[in-house]
Amino acid sequence: MAEVAVRGAHGEQGRGDVASRLALARGLLRGAEDRAAGVRPVAAAESDGRVLPVAGPLAGLLPGGGLRRGSTVALAPGPGSTSLLLGLVGEASAQGAWVGVVGRPELGLVAAVEAGVALERFALVPHPGRDLLAVTVALLDGMDVVAVPGAGVRAGDRQRLAARARQRGAVLLALGPWPGADVELGCADVQWQGLEAGAGRLCSRRIRVRAAGRGLGPGRTAGLVLPADGGGVGGDDGGERVAPAARVEAVAG
């Protein structure tokens, strides 16, 4: 299977115009749909097929134990948010889901692989320009999970994208504030691991994650290691590092 992980017009954004960026996204989508024809729908965490699987340590944070198709999940900005994004989509990607990320040029493909993302089913459109909405709609039509920046998106456009995700049975991941999201996730107590006595290699993060939203009651918390030894998501009991719920960063709005 050919690789569809794309850096987009990263080195040509000054030369590319709006039409070329949109053509890139639509061309990528057509290729993804052709390649996905024989493998979708992806295995689900529930027998009704409406929930995409997530790694075990994340399952307890989400309604139904996974990413529910048609839902919108907002990730608070700040330290740990990119690691959490990749951790959320890694398991679904490994089991056959197609994942698209819009507007995150700094996202590293090596980090994605360490989180369990299958690059042959991963589409990255780093510079959508003014066509962010159109690119996201195009990807929602053919991908299982699509992540999009939350900052600066108008209320009407948020509603349109959420409605499109519901219609297509995709999961919309909002990277930033997203009023009306079904689930909101925020990180706290983020600590790097790997430095011993001031020397070494940063290899993973310990993160405390809080989830709030529909079906979650007063909210849920979990300690994670991203990536875990060998890749993917690991659990972390946290010990004395566990933060009170009031200290955990929540999604604005």
Side-chain angles (χ1 to χ4, degrees):
M1 183 176 293
E3 179 175 315
V4 299
V6 171
R7 301 299 294 184
H10 180 70
E12 302 178 359
Q13 65 183 105
R15 301 192 299 271
D17 56 16
V18 169
S20 66
R21 287 193 295 266
L22 184 55
L24 168 68
R26 292 191 183 279
L28 176 62
L29 176 59
R30 285 193 296 270
E33 288 175 330
D34 291 342
R35 294 179 177 89
V39 298
R40 295 176 69 185
V42 68
E46 289 185 343
S47 59
D48 64 4
R50 294 295 299 172
V51 176
L52 298 176
V54 297
L58 284 165
L61 289 173
L62 301 168
L67 295 170
R68 186 172 296 277
R69 290 185 180 274
S71 69
T72 298
V73 179
L75 278 62
S81 60
T82 299
S83 295
L84 180 57
L85 163 65
L86 295 175
L88 278 171
V89 303
E91 183 69 17
S93 172
Q95 294 196 29
W98 290 78
V99 178
V101 178
V102 181
R104 292 298 293 268
E106 75 282 5
L107 193 149
L109 297 185
V110 172
V113 171
E114 290 178 344
V117 175
L119 291 187
E120 65 270 21
R121 291 184 294 275
F122 181 69
L124 177 61
V125 184
H127 298 288
R130 296 180 180 179
D131 278 324
L132 184 145
L133 181 64
V135 167
T136 304
V137 168
L139 293 177
L140 285 171
D141 284 346
M143 299 275 176
D144 297 290
V145 185
V146 178
V148 61
V153 179
R154 296 178 299 182
D157 292 338
R158 288 197 302 268
Q159 294 171 3
R160 178 182 175 186
L161 292 176
R164 193 73 167 197
R166 287 193 298 270
Q167 179 186 18
R168 297 300 187 183
V171 178
L172 180 64
L173 292 181
L175 309 179
W178 198 277
D182 298 291
V183 177
E184 301 173 344
L185 301 175
C187 299
D189 291 352
V190 179
Q191 295 185 7
W192 281 103
Q193 291 183 296
L195 293 180
E196 302 295 339
R201 176 179 178 270
L202 295 175
C203 57
S204 64
R205 279 177 168 179
R206 299 174 68 187
I207 299 174
R208 196 70 182 168
V209 179
R210 183 181 190 275
R214 300 183 181 97
L216 296 179
R220 303 174 184 177
T221 62
L224 307 176
V225 177
L226 300 168
D229 291 341
V233 180
D236 177 21
D237 61 19
E240 68 275 7
R241 294 177 61 259
V242 177
R247 288 183 53 202
V248 180
E249 179 182 0
V251 175

